[in-house]
Amino acid sequence: MIEVMIVLGIIAMLMAWGLPAFVTAVQKKPLPQAVSDIMDGCKEARALAIMSGVPAELVINAEGEISVQKSQATSAQVDPALGGDESDASKALFHARLDESIALEALDVNLRDMLGPDISEARVKFYPNGTSDEFNIVFRVDDQWRQVKLDIVTGLAEVETDPMKFMKR
């Protein structure tokens, strides 16, 4: 019985020593998390548009909230046979929030700058044929930069990590 208690004590000490390192390893840093959230949002919006047969939107608001929903412009045209109704158009099907340490250096939709003080949100449309609006977003945390942009023909997002390519804008 004493031997079992000693072994359990050693295991508890090892777990207490290794747990902070494990938690740190599991938590994502703000920049990779932001890129992952945008990539996941784009993927969800593209899939929603293709599967439902109506445009979907990736919405990024001024508070850094990211959501995916059916396009507002087509909410009156939603076909119940495709699994939706008008109330579905305003429901967010994906939700994420950018960390407060993330600085947005650029946010362009169809070559229009969406970072102005009078703009409360940016909407990127994804269409049922797999295409999308032109979209570009640049994140910065300290001296690290990441750019996510969409290929308008395929609606697929790609990440650029070389700051020299997008700082020349």
Side-chain angles (χ1 to χ4, degrees):
M1 188 71 158
I2 293 174
E3 293 172 352
V4 172
M5 295 301 285
I6 291 173
V7 170
L8 288 176
I10 292 171
I11 290 173
M13 287 175 34
L14 289 174
M15 287 182 62
W17 180 59
L19 192 60
F22 176 74
V23 169
T24 302
V26 170
Q27 288 180 334
K28 282 193 171 181
K29 302 288 184 203
L31 190 59
Q33 183 65 51
V35 170
S36 176
D37 289 343
I38 290 291
M39 298 284 285
D40 289 346
C42 289
K43 184 170 62 173
E44 290 290 326
R46 182 175 185 269
L48 176 63
I50 292 170
M51 297 302 286
S52 68
V54 296
E57 293 179 328
L58 174 73
V59 181
I60 305 168
N61 69 17
E63 289 81 37
E65 294 178 2
I66 305 165
S67 62
V68 171
Q69 59 195 30
K70 289 184 179 175
S71 178
Q72 290 180 346
T74 59
S75 62
Q77 303 169 357
V78 177
D79 184 357
L82 294 173
D85 59 21
E86 286 187 31
S87 64
D88 283 345
S90 62
K91 291 181 186 174
L93 304 171
F94 170 88
H95 191 271
R97 185 176 186 87
L98 296 176
D99 190 88
E100 293 176 3
S101 64
I102 298 289
L104 289 179
E105 295 295 319
L107 176 57
D108 304 326
V109 178
N110 292 331
L111 303 176
R112 182 173 173 227
D113 184 11
M114 303 303 283
L115 287 180
D118 57 331
I119 299 174
S120 63
E121 64 185 17
R123 293 182 171 271
V124 183
K125 277 194 180 174
F126 290 79
Y127 300 96
N129 63 359
T131 62
S132 69
D133 286 346
E134 189 275 335
F135 172 65
N136 175 58
I137 188 167
V138 178
F139 302 108
R140 180 180 56 82
V141 174
D142 299 324
D143 61 345
Q144 294 183 331
W145 301 70
R146 294 293 182 275
Q147 177 185 34
V148 177
K149 57 184 177 179
L150 288 177
D151 179 346
I152 61 172
V153 175
T154 63
L156 298 174
E158 55 188 46
V159 179
E160 179 63 56
T161 59
D162 182 10
M164 300 315 284
K165 288 187 177 180
F166 50 86
M167 287 177 61
K168 295 178 183 176
R169 312 171 11 124

